[in-house]
Amino acid sequence: MTASRPRIGSRPRAHRLLSRLAAALVVGCVTIGGVLTAGAGPVYAAADEAPEADGAVTLGLSTGSGTSITPGSSLLSSITLDNGTDAELSAGTVTIELNSTRLPDSDSLEAWLDSGTAAGDFRSVASEATPTVEGGSSATAEVIVDAAELGALAPGVYPMRATLSGAAVGDGTDDARADETTATTVLVVAPAGERRTGVIVPITATPEDGSLLTADELTTLTAPEGGLTGQLDAITGTTAILAVDPAIPAAIRMLGTRAPAGAVAWLERLESLPNDMFALQFADADAATQAHADQSDLLAPQELAPLLQPADFPPPVTPETATPTPTASGEPEPALPDNAALTMISGAQPGILWPRGDLTDDDIARFGAELGDDATTIVPSTSVNRAGVTHGTVDGHDLLVIDAAASARLSAAVDAADAGTRQRELAAVAGHLFYAGQRSSPVLIGLQRSETRSPVALRESLTAFASPDVRLRSVLTGPAEAVSLTGTPDAARAVAFETMLQGEQRMTTFSAILEEPAVLLVPERIRILRAIGVGLDDDEFAAARTQRAERVSSTLSSVSIQQPQPVQLFTSAAPLPVWVRNELPWPVTVSLGSSPSDPRLDIQPTTEVTALAASTTRVNVPIEARVASGDVRVEFRLTGPNGATIGQPAIADVTLRADWENIGLVILGGIIVVLFVLGLVRTVMRKRRAGTPS
């Protein structure tokens, strides 16, 4: 039996299109929630999701995830029709059907949601006549489903679907029919008792230049509407377990007194939260990739102190403190923080790694050797040889196992701005947790790395699934089961990482031309760490690998000799101009070596050059030609203080006319003598004609 109370409304098409762009396009979404049967827990439902063509009609049926009804009560739901075409959608009927055959496991749940295949028969539990909907508009109607139509459902996960029929767009021809629009879903009837679930939320932020967040980026991210602020807003008041990239507090603290007030307040707020938290690897670098590359130690950022501005860290001066040691200028010497102080996260639990899932037992042993036997590694359930394990051990080393299927669905939910898509994924999470919850230990969910997740969706998800009593310490002190890991190492990532390290070695050699090599090397190390980040998928990793190679190449070629122009030398000695190009934002000191191809030309073999930042510097190299003529090639090359070659050699073509100077002097002297003699003869002859004795 079905009753309905139509409540039709329209919304502008722009709003509909914005919603469509903000999330995955869906054909339909259905969410059913409630408590069914005596002693039953929450009921969830989610709709099928599929790409939607532009100008399509979409169907939704929702009551909101987690809505509770008492046994024997009716279920209130709402139907939404969205007409994405320009023509009117005629009236039709939406039918909701339930399959009373439970889905047996998580794999069957995924198969139903992805492909719509499930065993058993469907029966109608509700239907509703739909109104006409103008083009570019949507309409909603409330539907009450009698509890008797749902029936007495035992705890389990049930397939559901909703179908639109009898509706047409425009003239009603077959090509314009909008019927048979179907949305698949699941209905989860949870057993009695409280579900115990912990949710791990990674907090990361990637700067535009791949190194450290700038003051402007921190200002934006920690503003009231900023991304990092939104994450804390969503987490506050929940029991989410936080995994924080220490590069974020480091970027804030490195600015000292110049740090934006909002960023400082954000960090203080983070550290004051009562939530369990731990630090990720700096820049969320993947420990698994490093282990597969046979790194003896996990890669860490180089010392950050050389990048600090002493003026940003004025020493505190109080009567109770000792007088600070003055510098040569008479000012107190500031105490600059080291890496440990810059990256510290107050209250964070040490010794926890959260790498990619392609791990082996040997990797876990390596982590234990590096971080200590009490180190804990977080792994997905797909990497463990036993199902239903939350706390495991490999040769005495602790593991925390997160439910991979539930984690993927909850990650999709928190990234969805569209409420229908979000509730569909939340219901799917409930389905996976139904199967995982059949064990006594709590279930852990780990959100995927994301910097675009919706704070509203994150808050709703944590409220629904983060249990107040699931803490890291309680899980780690609980019973543990011996397991082994089944991951297959990604050899391609390991090889690419080794190539990145080789590029770093080349840049280290190159950096000797800088007064402070750290200004180049410290950011580049951080970029390498980000290039092997846990959150990068295969395509993103390939792009990061290519970008690293291009950056190394461009940096190594940023200081070079500009191709010299041919030179005509008409004198025995002259300066030869050479231009040294420096594209780096810092001045460099190099040696310009010069060697002629012929001994007819003497040239200064070495000239010290200080090339200004982001400019081309002229260098005058003294040369001297011997008494000879001809063509000589001069090779110029740059070397650093350590003798390393910088850039590529350059060749200058010099044409010698070295004897022209002496010949010219002889000719000029001869002309002068001739003129003198002629003048003398003319004077004598003039005196003779005048009768003057000579």
Side-chain angles (χ1 to χ4, degrees):
M1 176 179 181
T2 303
S4 65
R5 296 195 301 269
R7 187 177 63 188
I8 310 302
S10 298
R11 57 181 177 177
R13 186 176 185 184
H15 183 277
R16 173 183 54 77
L17 292 176
L18 180 61
S19 175
R20 204 177 285 162
L21 290 172
L25 299 178
V26 295
V27 168
C29 58
V30 182
T31 306
I32 305 290
V35 177
L36 300 180
T37 72
V43 178
Y44 303 87
D48 186 31
E49 179 180 16
E52 175 195 345
D54 187 29
V57 174
T58 61
L59 166 69
L61 176 60
S62 174
T63 60
S65 180
T67 302
S68 298
I69 60 173
T70 58
S73 299
S74 298
L75 176 65
L76 178 65
S77 60
S78 63
I79 294 172
T80 302
L81 273 177
D82 191 357
N83 182 7
T85 71
D86 294 329
E88 181 182 79
L89 174 67
S90 67
T93 301
V94 170
T95 302
I96 304 172
E97 296 177 296
L98 172 68
N99 189 330
S100 298
T101 301
R102 291 176 289 182
L103 297 170
D105 52 31
S106 287
D107 290 340
S108 61
L109 166 61
E110 288 293 317
W112 167 246
L113 293 176
D114 291 342
S115 61
T117 58
D121 298 325
F122 286 84
R123 57 184 176 85
S124 175
V125 295
S127 62
E128 171 66 20
T130 62
T132 59
V133 183
E134 295 180 358
S137 299
S138 64
T140 61
E142 290 184 351
V143 178
I144 299 176
V145 182
D146 195 292
E149 298 290 344
L150 292 173
L153 299 176
V157 182
Y158 299 88
M160 292 190 70
R161 67 188 179 198
T163 304
L164 172 66
S165 60
V169 177
D171 57 10
T173 61
D174 290 341
D175 291 340
R177 302 293 294 178
D179 57 2
E180 300 307 321
T181 300
T182 302
T184 59
T185 182
V186 293
L187 175 66
V188 181
V189 181
E194 183 179 2
R195 178 183 57 244
R196 300 180 64 235
T197 307
V199 181
I200 307 175
V201 181
I203 305 295
T204 60
T206 303
E208 184 176 355
D209 72 350
S211 179
L212 288 167
L213 293 168
T214 65
D216 289 342
E217 288 173 326
L218 287 169
T219 298
T220 300
L221 289 169
T222 58
E225 302 299 325
L228 289 177
T229 298
Q231 299 304 295
L232 283 197
D233 289 343
I235 290 164
T236 301
T238 72
T239 56
I241 301 168
L242 308 185
V244 183
D245 179 0
I248 299 175
I252 297 173
R253 294 191 179 109
M254 286 181 66
L255 295 173
T257 56
R258 291 187 298 114
V264 175
W266 181 90
L267 182 56
E268 293 174 348
R269 183 182 172 196
L270 170 71
E271 295 188 319
S272 67
L273 290 175
N275 302 62
D276 283 356
M277 65 181 72
F278 62 92
L280 299 168
Q281 291 295 290
F282 196 96
D284 195 26
D286 179 30
T289 297
Q290 298 175 60
H292 301 155
D294 292 328
Q295 289 295 298
S296 58
D297 295 301
L298 292 177
L299 202 64
Q302 296 185 2
E303 188 60 44
L304 300 170
L307 301 187
L308 303 181
Q309 300 294 328
D312 297 333
F313 299 88
V317 179
T318 62
E320 293 78 13
T321 59
T323 302
T325 302
T327 63
S329 63
E331 296 295 329
E333 180 71 34
L336 299 180
D338 58 12
N339 279 18
L342 292 171
T343 60
M344 180 190 66
I345 301 173
S346 179
Q349 185 167 327
I352 297 181
L353 289 176
W354 190 4
R356 283 167 44 88
D358 55 334
L359 293 166
T360 65
D361 292 355
D362 291 340
D363 297 332
I364 301 301
R366 183 188 295 270
F367 298 155
E370 294 173 359
L371 303 178
D373 291 337
D374 57 348
T376 300
T377 306
I378 300 175
V379 300
S381 56
T382 50
S383 297
V384 180
N385 67 337
R386 295 181 58 184
V389 176
T390 299
H391 181 199
T393 60
V394 172
D395 296 331
H397 300 292
D398 280 319
L399 299 180
L400 290 176
V401 183
I402 60 176
D403 187 288
S407 297
R409 290 288 181 178
L410 193 61
S411 297
V414 299
D415 272 330
D418 176 76
T421 303
R422 178 164 66 250
Q423 292 191 8
R424 172 188 186 270
E425 298 298 338
L426 291 178
V429 174
H432 286 296
L433 291 180
F434 171 82
Y435 301 112
Q438 296 176 4
R439 60 179 185 260
S440 58
S441 60
V443 180
L444 286 181
I445 295 177
L447 294 182
Q448 297 171 359
R449 274 67 164 179
S450 174
E451 295 170 19
T452 60
R453 65 173 70 104
S454 162
V456 173
L458 179 60
R459 180 75 176 186
E460 181 178 346
S461 300
L462 294 176
T463 301
F465 296 112
S467 302
D469 63 335
V470 179
R471 314 281 292 191
L472 279 176
R473 188 173 300 279
S474 64
V475 176
L476 287 172
T477 55
E481 301 181 50
V483 298
S484 64
L485 296 177
T486 59
T488 301
D490 190 330
R493 291 201 180 215
V495 171
F497 175 56
E498 291 173 341
T499 302
M500 294 178 195
L501 293 181
Q502 293 169 3
E504 183 185 43
Q505 292 174 356
R506 295 169 61 193
M507 294 184 74
T508 299
T509 302
F510 171 83
S511 68
I513 65 178
L514 298 171
E515 181 179 356
E516 178 54 80
V519 297
L520 172 65
L521 298 179
V522 172
E524 292 304 319
R525 169 63 65 84
I526 297 172
R527 292 185 180 102
I528 292 176
L529 295 172
R530 293 195 188 279
I532 59 168
V534 175
L536 300 184
D537 61 25
D538 290 344
D539 290 340
E540 292 168 334
F541 179 78
R545 176 184 58 199
T546 301
Q547 187 179 46
R548 285 302 314 152
E550 292 174 349
R551 189 173 186 91
V552 170
S553 177
S554 63
T555 300
L556 295 180
S557 61
S558 61
V559 178
S560 62
I561 301 171
Q562 189 168 302
Q563 182 59 43
Q565 297 296 321
V567 176
Q568 297 280 346
L569 185 62
F570 296 100
T571 62
S572 61
L576 180 62
V578 180
W579 297 89
V580 176
R581 179 179 56 88
N582 176 21
E583 295 180 349
L584 296 174
W586 315 283
V588 299
T589 300
V590 293
S591 296
L592 176 64
S594 311
S595 58
S597 62
D598 193 289
R600 289 176 293 179
L601 182 68
D602 289 334
I603 188 169
Q604 182 171 293
T606 304
T607 305
E608 296 300 319
V609 181
T610 297
L612 301 179
S615 65
T616 301
T617 302
R618 174 171 173 159
V619 183
N620 291 322
V621 181
I623 60 175
E624 183 176 351
R626 298 177 180 177
V627 181
S629 298
D631 295 328
V632 179
R633 305 186 73 194
V634 180
E635 181 183 76
F636 297 102
R637 59 195 175 277
L638 295 177
T639 56
N642 55 0
T645 299
I646 306 299
Q648 298 296 322
I651 303 295
D653 293 322
V654 180
T655 300
L656 298 179
R657 297 291 182 265
D659 51 354
W660 283 23
E661 182 178 9
N662 294 330
I663 294 173
L665 289 175
V666 171
I667 294 173
L668 181 60
I671 293 173
I672 294 173
V673 171
V674 170
L675 292 175
F676 177 77
V677 171
L678 290 175
L680 181 61
V681 170
R682 183 180 179 184
T683 301
V684 171
M685 293 179 67
R686 183 182 300 126
K687 288 181 178 181
R688 285 179 177 178
R689 285 195 299 268
T692 304
S694 57

